[in-house]
Amino acid sequence: MTTASKFTLARVVMIPAFMLAFLLSPGTPWLKWVSLGIFLLASLTDYVDGYIARHYNQVSDFGKFLDPLADKLLVISAMCILCQWQQFPAWAFMVVLAREFAVTALRLIAVTTGRVIAAGWSGKVKTFSTMVVLCLWIVTWDLGAISWLKWIYTLVIVLPTLYSGVEYFIQNWDCLGLKK
């Protein structure tokens, strides 16, 4: 296993610790900062594993598969908690989930043709903007009803999510065996 993949696996391992700290933070406010720290560290491993993979020629099919999966698990865990607390709209959570399932299905279909679909630029922008917004949301979710801020956060997550999802399908339509 490559060093890059080890960083990706570390991100996956941090998810339960993040969720536990975040879920307990309403009763123990300092845990909000612990959950933020874990989320930030996990998010940084996304950059580190990508840098190591490219810089040290450790790009692998396993990494191309595991890295986006780890990203999905991390961000969906935060969104799920925020949705449970009625901070993140359920419709937006469904948009994110639908995009993630659709792109994952596309990747699985592509694998059957011998092609691995790596994360594209728009997917990376989507992941980065989502992680930044979720960090801000972790810090501000308990500040009361700041509805305009929640709408901005939601739009910054949903718009790149939709754009990148559509782009993945446009660029890889041939994997589905359908004509454009």
Side-chain angles (χ1 to χ4, degrees):
M1 179 177 302
T2 66
T3 303
S5 292
K6 289 176 184 174
F7 273 95
T8 304
L9 282 175
R11 183 161 65 256
V12 173
V13 169
M14 286 186 243
I15 294 168
F18 159 72
M19 290 184 74
L20 182 63
F22 197 32
L23 282 166
L24 295 175
S25 67
T28 313
W30 60 270
L31 282 175
K32 171 170 81 171
W33 302 106
V34 172
S35 64
L36 175 64
I38 296 168
F39 191 88
L40 276 169
L41 185 61
S43 297
L44 286 174
T45 66
D46 185 35
Y47 169 78
V48 172
D49 68 15
Y51 175 80
I52 290 171
R54 286 183 299 279
H55 190 72
Y56 295 102
N57 198 27
Q58 294 185 6
V59 175
S60 66
D61 286 344
F62 177 71
K64 288 179 186 176
F65 171 77
L66 186 61
D67 180 63
L69 180 62
D71 294 342
K72 287 171 183 48
L73 292 172
L74 179 63
V75 300
I76 286 174
S77 68
M79 288 178 193
C80 186
I81 293 169
L82 289 166
C83 192
Q84 178 181 336
W85 292 343
Q86 298 178 354
Q87 297 294 309
F88 187 62
W91 66 265
F93 187 51
M94 191 60 210
V95 166
V96 171
L97 286 175
R99 184 264 187 212
E100 299 305 346
F101 281 124
V103 170
T104 299
L106 178 65
R107 282 189 168 120
L108 291 173
I109 291 168
V111 165
T112 65
T113 66
R115 187 154 103 198
V116 175
I117 301 174
W121 182 248
S122 67
K124 292 177 187 214
V125 168
K126 181 238 3 150
T127 299
F128 178 77
S129 62
T130 298
M131 287 178 173
V132 168
V133 167
L134 289 173
C135 286
L136 294 169
W137 219 324
I138 290 167
V139 172
T140 62
W141 76 267
D142 58 347
L143 296 180
I146 309 174
S147 60
W148 62 270
L149 189 57
K150 291 177 189 175
W151 273 107
I152 291 171
Y153 288 168
T154 301
L155 289 174
V156 172
I157 289 172
V158 169
L159 294 177
T161 295
L162 289 171
Y163 179 86
S164 68
V166 168
E167 184 180 70
Y168 273 103
F169 275 87
I170 289 171
Q171 291 177 350
N172 298 287
W173 192 253
D174 60 309
C175 289
L176 300 175
L178 304 171
K179 296 186 184 212
K180 286 187 181 181

